[in-house]
Amino acid sequence: MLKRGSTIGILGGGQLGRMMAVAATQLGYRCIGYSPEGDNVAAEVCEDFFTNRWDDQAALAAFAARCDVVTWEFENVPVATARAFPSDKIFPDPKALETAQDRLNEKRFIEGLGGKPAAYAKIDSQSDLEAATDRLGAPGIVKTRRDGYDGKGQWRIMSGRDAAALKLPDVPAIYEGFVEFDAEFSVILVRAQDGEIRFWDSSRNVHESGVLAASYLPAGEAVEPQVERARKLAGQVADALGYVGVLTLEFFATHEGPIFNEMAPRVHNSGHWTIEGAATSQFENHIRAVAGLPLGDTRTTASAVDMRNIIGRDIEGAHAFLADADTHLHDYGKSEVREGRKMGHLTRLTRA
């Protein structure tokens, strides 16, 4: 177990790191962050913050020297950066980043464990895309294999004509066939250093313009019968990666059962409800896992939970929501307000 007063390093400076640092402080740890220049809102709650490039070896060495353990808060931390730390000092293992950062490799990895992703094809050229739409049909979606989130780096293809007209970016891509689904949901687990796994209840997730808008519990009859199968796959993923910390897999609930969408090797937006709605939040349990502490109870403590993201300028009137009973506001403190940007979230609880 990491001793009280030890320092946890967090790679990344966004809101997930901010909430992880708050949880770590509650458990008696100090946090320092590391991220290139940007709106690093985690810096406000960290004891210190390194603002350096991901490939700055001297800065990384200085950061490592001050950390007893290191983790990350988003999945686009370069693998080389994560591997700069000793294997017994960084959790999860960087191979989780390596797997999740390439959508093609991720899908092949899932298939190797018996999971079922949407039908897909590797895209390296315009002719690849046209062949993929002929074989898999349209509608579908083109995604860059690396980077991109919240709808970025994605293009909807509604017909062969769209495929022919799309000017592909000069990066490897993937085409995914359309999935007819009844609902979207996520499986969020925490895995300890000794291999123990605990799951939170799965939420039904609603996306708007590629961005998560809301998560609801209970998830409803379209989702709940499929959760056990999805959990089995998520547990296999965590074990195969020797994962330590919080891991998220997103799924489509379909008439054929759960279809894998994507994996996030980190705490997740659809788990923000756990701060007020679960016995132990995803952020606290992530810190517990990387620090070698016993895991906390993951049971839901309310009869219903409604978590909604606050997007763009809606943050300017967010305090008004607090007039509703049992509503909790989390303002991420971002200085730049822009359309489509996650500025905070609200969690409303219904008590039994």
Side-chain angles (χ1 to χ4, degrees):
M1 293 185 189
L2 204 60
K3 293 187 298 184
R4 176 177 177 269
S6 296
T7 298
I8 298 175
I10 300 174
L11 299 174
Q15 65 263 23
L16 301 180
R18 179 186 179 104
M19 289 182 273
M20 284 165 54
V22 170
T25 301
Q26 176 185 323
L27 294 174
Y29 298 121
R30 299 183 176 92
C31 285
I32 59 174
Y34 187 108
S35 185
E37 286 190 17
D39 198 356
N40 289 317
V41 295
E44 297 177 1
V45 294
C46 287
E47 184 174 86
D48 197 2
F49 201 91
F50 284 64
T51 306
N52 300 91
R53 298 188 318 273
W54 290 123
D55 61 354
D56 188 330
Q57 298 303 313
L60 285 170
F63 175 75
R66 292 185 55 188
C67 299
D68 296 291
V69 70
V70 177
T71 188
W72 61 74
E73 62 105 31
F74 82 127
E75 66 266 52
N76 289 329
V77 172
V79 174
T81 300
R83 290 203 185 281
F85 302 94
S87 60
D88 62 348
K89 197 172 184 175
I90 184 162
F91 300 102
D93 188 297
K95 65 185 175 184
L97 287 177
E98 201 165 30
T99 302
Q101 284 180 358
D102 185 313
R103 289 184 171 89
L104 180 62
N105 292 345
E106 178 186 76
K107 290 178 187 299
R108 289 173 172 171
F109 171 71
I110 291 296
E111 286 179 320
L113 294 173
K116 184 176 180 180
Y120 66 91
K122 178 182 177 184
I123 304 298
D124 290 322
S125 66
Q126 193 71 38
S127 60
D128 285 346
L129 176 57
E130 292 174 21
T133 54
D134 285 344
R135 180 166 63 87
L136 302 179
I141 189 164
V142 176
K143 298 179 180 179
T144 56
R145 279 174 56 179
R146 291 184 173 273
D147 301 322
Y149 58 94
D150 288 347
K152 302 176 181 70
Q154 301 183 11
W155 299 268
R156 181 139 341 242
I157 302 295
M158 299 304 295
S159 66
R161 182 177 297 177
D162 286 348
L166 177 65
K167 183 174 175 55
L168 279 171
D170 190 23
V171 294
I174 191 168
Y175 180 75
E176 296 179 5
F178 180 72
V179 176
E180 291 189 12
F181 62 90
D182 299 315
E184 296 176 79
F185 69 100
S186 50
V187 170
I188 305 179
L189 64 80
V190 60
R191 186 176 185 273
Q193 294 182 27
D194 65 2
E196 179 190 1
I197 293 177
R198 297 189 181 188
F199 295 92
W200 284 271
D201 286 336
S202 286
S203 61
R204 177 170 59 86
N205 302 325
V206 177
H207 291 80
E208 296 175 2
S209 302
V211 179
L212 181 68
S215 294
Y216 301 99
L217 285 160
E221 60 183 16
V223 169
E224 288 170 359
Q226 304 199 14
V227 169
E228 206 54 47
R229 284 176 60 187
R231 282 185 174 184
K232 181 180 178 182
L233 176 62
Q236 290 174 312
V237 169
D239 287 339
L241 294 172
Y243 199 90
V244 173
V246 169
L247 171 69
T248 307
L249 271 67
E250 295 182 72
F251 293 89
F252 299 110
T254 78
H255 69 279
E256 299 175 5
I259 300 294
F260 171 82
N261 181 24
E262 61 185 23
M263 155 182 143
R266 55 170 171 82
V267 291
H268 195 258
N269 193 174
S270 66
H272 289 357
W273 66 269
T274 63
I275 298 174
E276 288 86 22
T280 311
S281 77
Q282 63 169 348
F283 301 100
E284 181 177 332
N285 256 341
H286 184 79
I287 296 300
R288 287 189 185 213
V290 302
L293 301 179
L295 298 180
D297 188 353
T298 54
R299 63 187 167 84
T300 303
T301 56
S303 59
V305 184
D306 174 353
M307 190 286 296
R308 295 175 185 266
N309 279 325
I310 304 171
I311 307 294
R313 296 204 172 277
D314 288 349
I315 193 66
E316 294 169 358
H319 285 151
F321 290 108
L322 296 177
D324 296 339
D326 227 342
T327 295
H328 303 268
L329 169 65
H330 294 263
D331 186 326
Y332 302 152
K334 295 179 179 179
S335 56
E336 183 184 354
V337 179
R338 61 176 183 262
E339 185 178 353
R341 193 180 196 199
K342 295 173 183 173
M343 302 300 296
H345 73 268
L346 292 165
T347 303
R348 294 187 178 95
L349 306 179
T350 300
R351 303 292 181 180

